[in-house]
Amino acid sequence: MEINGKDDLKSPLLQHPNDVVITVPPLNQKLNKKTRTLVFKVLGITCSSCVASIEAAVGRLDGVQSVMVSVLQGQAVVKYVPEVITAKLIKETVEDTGFEVAEFPEQDIAMCRLRIKGMACTSCSESVERALLMADGVKKAVVGLALGEAKIHFDPNVTNTDRIIEAVEEDAGFGADLISTGNGLNKVYLKLEGINSPDDFTIIQGALESLEGVNHVEIDLDEHKATISYEPNIVGPRSLIQCIKEAGCGPNTYQATVYTPPRGGETERQHEILIYRNQFLWSCLFSVPIFVFSMVLPMLPPYGNWLDYKVINMLNLGMLLRWILCTPVQFIIGKRFYAGSYNALKRKSANMDVLVALGTNAAYFYSIYIMLKALDSDSFEGQDFFETSSMLISFILLGKYLEVLAKGKTSDALAKLSELAPDTACLLTLDAEGNVISETDIDTQLIEKNDILKIVPGTKVPVDGIVIDGQSHVNESMITGEAMPVAKKLGDKVIGGTMNENGCIRVKATHIGSETALSQIVELVEAAQLAKAPVQKLADQISKFFVPTVVLAAFVTWLGWFIPGVAGLYPRIWIPTAMDAFEFALQFGISVLVVACPCALGLATPTAVMVATGKGASLGVLIKGGNALEKAHKVKTVVFDKTGTLTVGKPAVVSSVLFSEVPMEDFCIMTIAAEGNSEHPIAKAVVDHAKMLLQKHGSHNDQFTEVTDFKVHPGAGVSGKIGERAILVGNKRLMHLFDVPLGTEVDRYVSENECLARTCALVAIEGRAAGAFAVTDPVKREAAVVISYLHSMGISSVMVTGDNWATATAIASQVGIQKVFAETDPLGKADKIKELQLQGTSVAMVGDGINDSPALVAADVGMAIGAGTDVAIEAADVVLMKSNLEDVVTAIDLSRKTMSRIRINYVWALGYNILGMPIAAGLLYPFTGIRLPPWLAGACMAASSISVVCSSLLLQYYKKPLRANAA
């Protein structure tokens, strides 16, 4: 953790409260060619000489500005100028040195998100996905039905967003709007002023694009707005505003102010709600009179007698009025169903629109036939179905309106997360001594890296940063779900969007824009909500043949009533007055068509996943998609790492001893030199204690000898040379590896401490045991309760650690774990996971460090402790943001509740069809006289979708099953 020193505070950030000051790069710097950063894995790196050979080979290439290779992670980071050298040549150069390149990013792949309009069921989302994947240049496409969005990865050299939108509209037949482009880059949105001609836009765009660190500039000529993607380590939003100001010359003066664009999803959702509401109200305006004329007034003589007035032949006034009122509903308000049917049939599929169009058209055009016969005859009497057509459309629109309203609430948790960040921040300008010159309130979007911000009590932290002055308690519950405020002091991290409780602190901004924890959480949850759970495949498979089956069932139903009716196989009294067998059978057929709509089936899984992932995020449990959510409910064994997972992860030395004649000062200096290069928590504890011992012995030397031939032995310790003397620091396994003899004194010391759940770090100098440190890492207070609760859930617990057997066993007995694997290296942990999986059990791994990454990937569900390393978090399926073991229970329990809710949703969705179709087909009519009129069948169909969405919304009331710390 780095804290800024005086040099960081010298340059004033603002010259005047109302004037932004930046360092303007010289002209020749502005014209520098832009660079890109390439990150990839290199397999087979074993030592520093491997690193040197790769760095030397790549560094010699023209256009490569810098190259860094990590031994530990086996990762290379190359900064290069794409106009001079290609990424492919860099890859070939690494391979020419004898190493294999893995996880090499496909170059020139862009990403965009689209809002898809008009999707009603899984058949619709599959059609859009298929159309996108068939488009030239599209590499990957995912379409989310519940979100109404698509995420597309494409090659910008082959296609662009306009062609992708055209593919959706032309090939799939759905409307599409662009939400965003880019791979989560930092963006700033500026409103431009002082524009007098199109040339001004060209000048501004040219000035911005020439600025180092600017990736992309989009200018809206009509709205006078600019969207700029930039690298926050190189340039910031205030620099961009200053660049626009300086682009003006002479009479042309340009100004730019930051603005917040409206949330695309919310705007579209409100628009969709408004459309459905208006269409429903308009349809009611026509359908209610039709219902009154056909169902109510004829039953209230003499009030309905005027409807029987003959206009021409047998065409009466009531029928004419019903036709006039029904036609706008059928062809104007209901045109969306015609358009949807046409597009579905054009792509050789069928959806809800096809069923609705078939049902309403059958009713409407048969009614037209009846009306024409009445017009031409002076004795014909027939029953029209105009009320069936209009009321069916009205009920379906009401159902869609209520469904859209309910679906909007499924992403409430995500919307609340997005709105956590404050609108403004207090920016400090400091002098050379660190004294405050001025305080300025600026828009949060204008914050740049290394800005110094003042956070007073009762205000929110605007961005991620570190405390450089002051103390306070910060309430992080809105992000982590942890109710207790967390103490913050010098050097501690703070998260953007959290609330400062009592003290005034100064914070140095370290992460801004899309780099903040809040932005990454929102991005992660959005991605999770878009991803499909494997259980969704059931709905996808059913929907492929569902509509054709329903159409066939409706036709068979019509035949099943029509033919026996004509043949007189059932009593004529069953047929209502003024109807014949054809009309009677037609009503049953239409009812079957409408009641069996597959809309609810497609919403069963995605709505539940959306609510669950949002709720999980609000509780501090980030679940990366439906796949992880579904796998977690099957977990039967949870494997825990020890250090930092079951224990606090902040070990401290409780005793130290010398076993040789080596002076204490030399012993400490050599230990510090060797362990200073290790990132292991135990190594840091040993270094801190050794420094304290040096001070006790009167040494204040801050310059420590460098270690050479330094090597990390995973799961054992480290080795190296200090001068001519070899040093080893690690456990007994490391000593045995290097044939260091351990006497009875050493064995006794180790055994005594291991029985107390302490880890012994042995130090050997020149092949002889020189001393040891006893390190303890306290067990987390909730660990035992969590293990016990998991057992009550039918889940067994296992510990796997690189620590020694005695310490591991002692910790395991404290928390109640029966099965232990100790002295295991990182690859060994992954092997243990695979062994458990071969026994037929679904395994979750909980870890926090780089050494846990292979095991996290190997497990069915990887759970990373939020305080762990970025590598571990990247490898995990679930991130426990609070570093609290209770959330292991929460993640599994939430997964079980969600899968249970999805099954209930399927019951709601299929239940309406399984029960509704036989009733609609008239199965009960011969016995009970109960039949389902088409308009009532439409109401049932709408109710099924609403029931499913409301069922998913119940997950918003989910409560954590375990709160050990609150007890």
Side-chain angles (χ1 to χ4, degrees):
M1 190 177 295
E2 182 184 359
I3 304 172
N4 63 322
K6 290 183 178 178
D7 292 339
D8 296 317
L9 306 178
K10 285 179 181 177
S11 56
L13 293 165
L14 295 179
Q15 183 177 4
H16 186 271
N18 297 319
D19 191 22
V20 179
V21 177
I22 62 157
T23 302
V24 181
L27 185 61
N28 60 347
Q29 185 178 336
K30 282 189 179 184
L31 297 176
N32 284 346
K33 292 176 179 176
K34 292 182 181 177
T35 62
R36 283 185 186 171
T37 302
L38 187 65
V39 182
F40 55 91
K41 294 281 186 183
V42 182
L43 305 181
I45 298 177
T46 56
C47 59
S48 56
S49 62
C50 301
V51 172
S53 61
I54 295 171
E55 289 182 345
V58 177
R60 283 195 295 267
L61 297 172
D62 290 337
V64 173
Q65 293 192 347
S66 67
V67 54
M68 294 179 291
V69 181
S70 166
V71 171
L72 187 61
Q73 298 180 24
Q75 184 170 281
V77 181
V78 182
K79 193 174 182 181
Y80 69 104
V81 181
E83 295 178 17
V84 180
I85 188 172
T86 63
K88 184 180 178 183
L89 182 57
I90 294 172
K91 179 185 178 183
E92 291 172 352
T93 304
V94 175
E95 291 174 336
D96 289 343
T97 59
F99 296 93
E100 185 181 347
V101 175
E103 297 182 22
F104 194 80
E106 191 173 357
Q107 294 302 298
D108 296 325
I109 294 299
M111 188 273 287
C112 71
R113 288 172 60 217
L114 301 180
R115 176 81 52 198
I116 310 297
K117 303 174 184 176
M119 291 193 300
C121 57
T122 51
S123 174
C124 301
S125 59
E126 280 192 332
S127 298
V128 175
E129 201 166 293
R130 192 162 52 246
L132 286 169
L133 291 171
M134 289 173 63
D136 290 338
V138 172
K139 303 293 183 181
K140 181 182 176 184
V142 181
V143 180
L145 172 63
L147 274 179
E149 290 183 10
K151 187 176 182 180
I152 304 108
H153 295 264
F154 63 96
D155 185 346
N157 298 317
V158 177
T159 189
N160 55 37
T161 53
D162 291 336
R163 290 181 187 172
I164 292 170
I165 291 171
E166 186 179 335
V168 175
E169 294 177 342
E170 297 294 327
D171 299 337
F174 293 93
D177 289 328
L178 184 66
I179 298 175
S180 64
T181 58
N183 297 297
L185 297 171
N186 279 280
K187 289 185 178 181
V188 64
Y189 302 89
L190 301 178
K191 181 79 173 175
L192 305 176
E193 297 174 6
I195 307 295
N196 299 313
S197 69
D199 292 339
D200 293 331
F201 289 115
T202 306
I203 293 169
I204 290 173
Q205 186 160 356
L208 289 170
E209 289 178 342
S210 67
L211 198 63
E212 182 70 14
V214 173
N215 293 313
H216 186 63
V217 179
E218 291 180 19
I219 293 183
D220 187 331
L221 303 181
D222 298 325
E223 298 288 333
H224 289 200
K225 292 176 181 177
T227 304
I228 307 153
S229 302
Y230 64 95
E231 294 287 348
N233 291 322
I234 302 172
V235 72
R238 299 202 300 276
S239 308
L240 299 172
I241 290 174
Q242 189 67 20
C243 175
I244 292 171
K245 288 181 180 179
E246 294 181 351
C249 58
N252 294 333
T253 57
Y254 307 131
Q255 299 290 329
T257 54
V258 71
Y259 81 97
T260 304
R263 284 177 55 82
E266 188 58 32
T267 304
E268 287 293 333
R269 189 174 294 113
Q270 292 301 325
H271 181 63
E272 190 177 15
I273 289 170
L274 193 63
I275 287 175
Y276 276 118
R277 190 198 69 181
N278 291 342
Q279 287 185 340
F280 169 66
L281 293 176
W282 274 108
S283 69
C284 284
L285 185 65
F286 295 98
S287 298
V288 171
I290 294 174
F291 178 78
V292 171
F293 294 160
S294 61
M295 300 285 188
V296 180
L297 290 179
M299 299 173 66
L300 299 174
Y303 302 106
N305 293 346
W306 60 276
L307 293 170
D308 294 327
Y309 175 76
K310 301 296 187 293
V311 180
I312 303 175
N313 288 335
M314 294 302 291
L315 176 64
N316 59 41
L317 185 60
M319 190 182 295
L320 185 63
L321 287 174
R322 288 193 291 272
W323 169 67
I324 292 170
L325 292 169
C326 178
T327 301
V329 178
Q330 182 71 34
F331 296 108
I332 299 176
I333 298 170
K335 70 177 180 181
R336 60 182 303 114
F337 301 113
Y338 286 100
S341 302
Y342 170 75
N343 290 318
L345 295 172
K346 188 175 71 172
R347 56 179 182 264
K348 297 178 182 178
S349 67
N351 59 7
M352 177 201 79
D353 294 331
V354 173
L355 295 178
V356 175
L358 278 173
T360 56
N361 277 328
Y364 180 83
F365 285 106
Y366 178 74
S367 301
I368 292 291
Y369 165 74
I370 293 295
M371 193 173 75
L372 291 174
K373 281 194 72 174
L375 183 67
D376 190 51
S377 171
D378 56 3
S379 60
F380 173 77
E381 289 187 6
Q383 176 70 40
D384 66 87
F385 293 146
F386 287 121
E387 81 285 347
T388 296
S389 170
S390 61
M391 290 183 64
L392 191 53
I393 289 172
S394 297
F395 271 107
I396 290 169
L397 290 174
L398 173 62
K400 295 301 291 183
Y401 170 59
L402 295 175
E403 180 188 319
V404 172
L405 275 177
K407 277 167 62 178
K409 295 185 181 298
T410 58
S411 55
D412 276 356
L414 186 60
K416 288 175 184 175
L417 277 174
S418 304
E419 294 164 1
L420 283 178
D423 296 327
T424 60
C426 181
L427 180 67
L428 299 181
T429 306
L430 309 177
D431 61 16
E433 285 74 35
N435 299 314
V436 177
I437 299 174
S438 66
E439 298 181 5
T440 311
D441 285 334
I442 63 168
D443 193 293
T444 306
Q445 294 182 63
L446 292 176
I447 296 174
E448 299 184 356
K449 278 197 174 180
N450 300 321
D451 279 352
I452 309 301
L453 307 169
K454 178 182 176 182
I455 318 294
V456 298
T459 60
K460 289 182 178 179
V461 179
V463 292
D464 294 2
I466 53 174
V467 178
I468 62 168
D469 187 33
Q471 293 184 6
S472 184
H473 283 78
V474 176
N475 186 336
E476 299 181 343
S477 62
M478 58 279 291
I479 290 181
T480 67
E482 179 59 57
M484 292 294 291
V486 182
K488 300 293 180 182
K489 59 184 185 304
L490 182 68
D492 286 345
K493 293 180 181 179
V494 289
I495 305 172
T498 56
M499 180 68 73
N500 184 26
E501 293 280 340
N502 47 27
C504 182
I505 53 176
R506 291 184 191 175
V507 172
K508 177 183 177 183
T510 56
H511 298 81
I512 63 170
S514 64
E515 295 178 346
T516 63
L518 184 60
S519 296
Q520 290 178 356
I521 290 168
V522 171
E523 185 179 344
L524 188 65
V525 177
E526 282 180 338
Q529 292 182 345
L530 199 59
K532 286 184 180 179
V535 71
Q536 176 70 19
K537 291 177 182 177
L538 172 63
D540 294 344
Q541 292 298 322
I542 292 173
S543 67
K544 287 180 181 178
F545 60 83
F546 195 83
V547 173
T549 304
V550 169
V551 173
L552 181 62
F555 183 70
V556 170
T557 299
W558 175 75
L559 284 179
W561 281 99
F562 175 59
I563 294 173
V566 173
L569 298 180
Y570 57 79
R572 178 66 180 81
I573 195 172
W574 285 7
I575 303 175
T577 308
M579 273 196 195
D580 60 20
F582 179 88
E583 297 163 352
F584 186 55
L586 185 63
Q587 283 217 342
F588 284 116
I590 294 171
S591 294
V592 170
L593 269 179
V594 176
V595 82
C597 179
C599 300
L601 200 62
L603 294 169
T605 298
T607 53
V609 170
M610 282 178 68
V611 178
T613 49
K615 184 63 180 177
S618 67
L619 293 173
V621 178
L622 292 184
I623 302 169
K624 297 181 180 178
N627 194 18
L629 194 66
E630 183 171 344
K631 283 183 178 179
H633 93 284
K634 300 176 183 176
V635 168
K636 292 298 178 186
T637 302
V638 177
V639 178
F640 291 92
D641 175 44
K642 181 179 78 70
T643 306
T645 304
L646 287 171
T647 62
V648 174
K650 293 183 180 177
V653 176
V654 290
S655 74
S656 57
V657 66
L658 287 174
F659 299 127
S660 67
E661 302 299 323
V662 175
M664 178 60 79
E665 188 171 344
D666 285 356
F667 173 74
C668 290
I669 288 173
M670 293 189 72
T671 302
I672 292 167
E675 290 284 70
N677 290 315
S678 175
E679 292 295 319
H680 199 282
I682 291 178
K684 292 180 179 179
V686 168
V687 169
D688 291 342
H689 189 76
K691 288 179 178 179
M692 186 185 71
L693 287 176
L694 276 179
Q695 290 179 354
K696 279 187 178 179
H697 286 77
S699 173
H700 298 284
N701 180 24
D702 291 332
Q703 302 296 321
F704 298 104
T705 310
E706 294 247 346
V707 64
T708 57
D709 293 338
F710 178 79
K711 288 184 181 178
V712 176
H713 304 274
V718 298
S719 64
K721 278 190 174 182
I722 298 173
E724 295 300 319
R725 293 193 290 180
I727 184 169
L728 302 170
V729 184
N731 55 24
K732 287 172 71 174
R733 190 148 63 93
L734 183 69
M735 301 300 138
H736 292 150
L737 188 65
F738 284 85
D739 298 322
V740 176
L742 301 176
T744 55
E745 184 184 5
V746 177
D747 284 335
R748 187 170 62 253
Y749 179 81
V750 171
S751 299
E752 288 173 356
N753 281 284
E754 285 179 350
C755 290
L756 297 171
R758 296 172 181 173
T759 300
C760 288
L762 303 174
V763 181
I765 299 174
E766 288 294 295
R768 292 182 57 197
F773 297 88
V775 184
T776 187
D777 185 7
V779 173
K780 289 181 177 177
R781 59 180 178 173
E782 75 271 11
V785 179
V786 168
I787 302 302
S788 174
Y789 197 91
L790 285 172
H791 183 70
S792 71
M793 294 171 69
I795 298 171
S796 60
S797 300
V798 177
M799 180 201 289
V800 59
T801 177
D803 213 336
N804 62 76
W805 277 100
T807 303
T809 305
I811 293 290
S813 64
Q814 282 187 41
V815 299
I817 292 178
Q818 303 296 323
K819 198 169 186 177
V820 179
F821 298 107
E823 299 180 11
T824 310
D825 61 20
L827 293 178
K829 289 182 180 181
D831 291 337
K832 296 298 180 188
I833 297 284
K834 291 171 184 174
E835 285 177 21
L836 291 168
Q837 289 170 330
L838 288 173
Q839 296 172 14
T841 183
S842 183
V843 181
M845 169 70 192
V846 186
D848 72 320
I850 293 172
N851 60 338
D852 296 321
S853 298
L856 289 169
V857 173
D860 295 286
V861 180
M863 298 186 185
I865 295 290
T869 62
D870 292 338
V871 177
I873 291 171
E874 186 68 27
D877 301 299
V878 179
V879 180
L880 312 177
M881 294 168 57
K882 294 184 295 181
S883 303
N884 191 322
L885 290 179
E886 293 170 15
D887 290 337
V888 174
V889 174
T890 302
I892 296 173
D893 185 64
L894 178 60
S895 169
R896 290 183 176 184
K897 293 287 195 302
T898 305
M899 293 310 299
S900 174
R901 184 56 53 186
I902 288 172
R903 285 190 284 270
I904 291 171
N905 286 352
Y906 277 128
V907 170
W908 278 113
L910 292 171
Y912 274 93
N913 293 323
I914 293 169
L915 294 176
M917 281 184 68
I919 297 172
L923 192 65
L924 299 180
Y925 187 72
F927 312 106
T928 64
I930 295 174
R931 65 189 180 95
L932 203 63
W935 63 269
L936 191 55
C940 289
M941 182 269 284
S944 67
S945 296
I946 298 164
S947 300
V948 164
V949 178
C950 291
S951 172
S952 294
L953 286 172
L954 291 175
L955 283 169
Q956 287 187 337
Y957 300 100
Y958 172 82
K959 301 291 184 185
K960 290 177 62 173
L962 183 62
R963 288 185 179 271
N965 287 344

